[in-house]
Amino acid sequence: MKPEHTRRGFLLGTSALALSAAALNWADASAQSRYSFDTAVAIPPLYNGRIEGDVRVFDLNLQSGQTEFFAGLKTDTNGINGSFLGPVLRMRSGETVRMNVKNGLTFDSTLHWHGMNLPAKADGGPHQIIQPQQTWSPEFTVHEASSTTWYHSHQIHATASQVWSGLAGMIIIDDDASAELGLPNEYGVDDIPLVVQDRRFYRDGSMPYERSMHDEMAGMMGNVPLINGTVLPYFAVSNSKLRLRLLNGANASIYNLAFTDGRKFTQIASDGGLLPEPVQMSQLRLAPGERAEIVVDFIANEKVILQSAGTSRGSGMGMMMQEQNPRFDLIEFRTGEALSPSADIPPKLADLPPVSENDATRTRRFLLEMPGMGPMRMLGLGSGFNINGQSMDIGRIDEVVKIGETEIWEIENAGPMTHPFHIHNTQFRILDRDGRKPEPNESGLKDTVVVSPGEIVRLLVRFDNYTDPERPYMYHCHILEHEDAGMMGQFTVV
Ligand code: C2O
Ligand code: CU
Ligand code: CU
C-alpha cells in the first residue's frame, strides 16, 4: 500500500516548499506568504555527565515517547533521555568517559559514537547490539580535539528507521587550546547546536518510516524540516557573532546551507575539529553525517533565514539529484535593539600536519555502486547497493588494516547519486577530488566525505591506538537507506 493511501490521510503537500507551507498553514491559520517562524528553536539539554573517580559517566536511556511537533498533534517518536533525539553530551579531550546505554525500547538497538577513535568493542556499531532492557557500558578515552560530533543508532538493516524515529544526538568535545581562541562558547546563547533533519509528516501528525521503492533508491526524504526537532523555528540572537554547530542528521538529504540575504559566514570547523584557518563562505554543502561549525555576524534589528538552497543541477537522473538537495527554509534568526559585542575570530585556529601522500604505504580502492548499474553489475557481481561488488555481510571482514600506517583510500562513485562516504574510528584528510585539491573548508579533519557521481576522491587515512583482530569497524555510505541496503563494509585494525 502506498503511504498516500493509508488512513493517515494525505501527506503535508506535494513538493518540499509547498509542503512546508501546507504544514504551516495547517498548523497556524494565520501564516502569511512567508512562514511566521513562531516557535523558539529547541535547544537540547546540555549533559555533562557526572564524575566517578576519574571517569566521566553518562547515563543514556533509549526510550519511546510522543512529541508535539505541531500544536495539538502527538507524534510517536523515540529518543535518548527524552521523547525525540537526545541531549548534547559534553566531554573534554583526554578524559575517559563511560556510557551506560540502557535500551528501554522493545527492539534491539545500538548507539554509535560517530567520528571518534575508540576500541572496536566500544564503537557501538552493528556488532554491539543492546537488547531490550539491557545496558551496555563502553568506556573509552576521548582522543579528539575540540570538535562537534554525534551519536546515533547503528542497528544492522534498521539504522535508517531508528534514526528517523529520533535515536540520535550531538556530542561537543572541548580542549584547552580552543578555549584560548575567544570563539563564541556560551551554550544556548552564542554557541548553539543545530541538528538539521527532515521528516515526512502526514496530516494526523504521524511520521511513520514507510518506504516506497523510490525511497529505497533515493533515501527517505521529508516534507518538513526539523531543527533540533522544531518545525520552522526562530532563534533570538543576543550577540554580534553566533556560532552554529551544524549537524546533518537527515537520513538522505544533502543541504546546501545559505542565508536568504546571501550574507557571508565563516566556517571554523569541519567534522573532526577546527580548521587551520577560518574560511569565508556564502554556501555550505552538508551531507548526512557531516558537521560544520560556522560563525555568523549580526547587526541590531534584523531578521534572516537560514535555508537549504536546493540545487539546479542534475541531468538524466536529474529528478533524484534534485531531491537529494531539497529546498527548505530552516530557521529564522532575529536580533533586537542591541547586541553584545563578540571578539574577532583569530586568523589561525589549529595546527594540522601537512597532507602528504608520500607517507602512504598502500592504496585501497572502494567502488560505490547502486542496484542495476555500474561495471561490477555488468560482470554479474553486486546486484544491490554494494562496495567493490560486495553487499554488506556482517560475517565477512572486507579489509584488514595495520595500526598506525598511513594509507590512501580511493573512493569512486560509479552511480548517478551522490554518496557521503564515512569511515569509523578515524579522522582523515582529503587528498584530492578527481585530482583537484580540496576546497579550504574541506582541508581539515573529516570522517564523512561527499563523493559525487562519477567522482574519485582520495583520502589519507590512518588508524591509531587500538587493535582488535576479531571485531570490525564499518565504512559506509551515510545515506542510511543505502547503508541498510548493503553499501557498507567492515575492516579490522591489527
Ligand atoms: Cu554515523 Cu557508521 O555512522
Ligand atoms: Cu561512524
Ligand atoms: Cu549512498
Side-chain angles (χ1 to χ4, degrees), residues 223-423:
N223 53 0
V224 176
L226 294 178
I227 310 295
N228 300 339
T230 324
V231 179
L232 293 170
Y234 71 88
F235 179 77
V237 180
S238 57
N239 295 40
S240 63
K241 286 188 195 298
L242 182 64
R243 178 190 200 166
L244 302 176
R245 295 178 187 262
L246 298 160
L247 157 64
N248 183 337
N251 279 42
S253 299
I254 299 170
Y255 302 120
N256 285 315
L257 302 171
F259 289 92
T260 39
D261 63 358
R263 76 178 56 192
K264 292 214 163 24
F265 52 87
T266 306
Q267 187 172 345
I268 57 169
S270 56
D271 300 335
L274 293 168
L275 292 166
E277 289 152 19
V279 181
Q280 292 288 309
M281 320 265 295
S282 52
Q283 191 171 98
L284 167 65
R285 177 181 61 184
L286 205 65
E290 287 188 299
R291 290 85 64 210
E293 294 178 30
I294 65 171
V295 175
V296 192
D297 287 301
F298 290 93
I299 56 171
N301 297 313
E302 64 166 345
K303 283 185 179 178
V304 66
I305 295 164
L306 178 68
Q307 61 178 8
S308 175
T311 184
S312 52
R313 58 189 268 251
S315 57
M317 298 289 279
M319 262 286 285
M320 210 176 254
M321 292 300 300
Q322 294 207 345
E323 275 181 40
Q324 265 194 294
N325 299 264
R327 173 175 284 283
F328 280 131
D329 278 356
L330 299 172
I331 177 172
E332 183 178 84
F333 295 95
R334 301 175 185 166
T335 61
E337 296 285 299
L339 294 170
S340 311
S342 308
D344 287 343
I345 302 169
K348 183 122 191 42
L349 298 172
D351 274 320
L352 295 180
V355 179
S356 163
E357 61 180 285
N358 297 336
D359 304 338
T361 54
R362 63 171 289 177
T363 299
R364 288 175 209 264
R365 293 194 170 76
F366 299 88
L367 181 67
L368 313 181
E369 287 183 310
M370 292 180 63
M373 17 193 131
M376 288 298 181
R377 174 67 172 172
M378 286 161 71
L379 294 172
L381 297 162
S383 54
F385 281 89
N386 71 78
I387 300 177
N388 291 339
Q390 304 261 38
S391 205
M392 165 75 180
D393 177 345
I394 198 157
R396 184 189 70 231
I397 307 289
D398 299 279
E399 307 287 337
V400 179
V401 184
K402 281 217 191 84
I403 185 173
E405 288 209 349
T406 302
E407 299 191 348
I408 295 169
W409 284 28
E410 186 176 300
I411 323 300
E412 177 173 0
N413 181 351
M417 280 186 73
T418 299
H419 301 291
F421 188 80
H422 168 53
I423 310 173

Side-chain angles (χ1 to χ4, degrees), residues 112 114 150 152 154 422 424 474 476 478:
H112 165 60
H114 176 126
W150 66 308
H152 60 79
H154 215 304
H422 168 53
H424 285 211
M474 309 292 132
H476 57 89
H478 221 289

Side-chain angles (χ1 to χ4, degrees), residues 58-59 97-102 122 130 135-140:
F58 295 89
D59 295 316
V97 296
R98 179 160 67 244
M99 309 293 198
N100 295 322
V101 188
K102 176 167 185 206
I130 318 167
T135 299
W136 174 62
S137 298
E139 197 174 290
F140 52 92

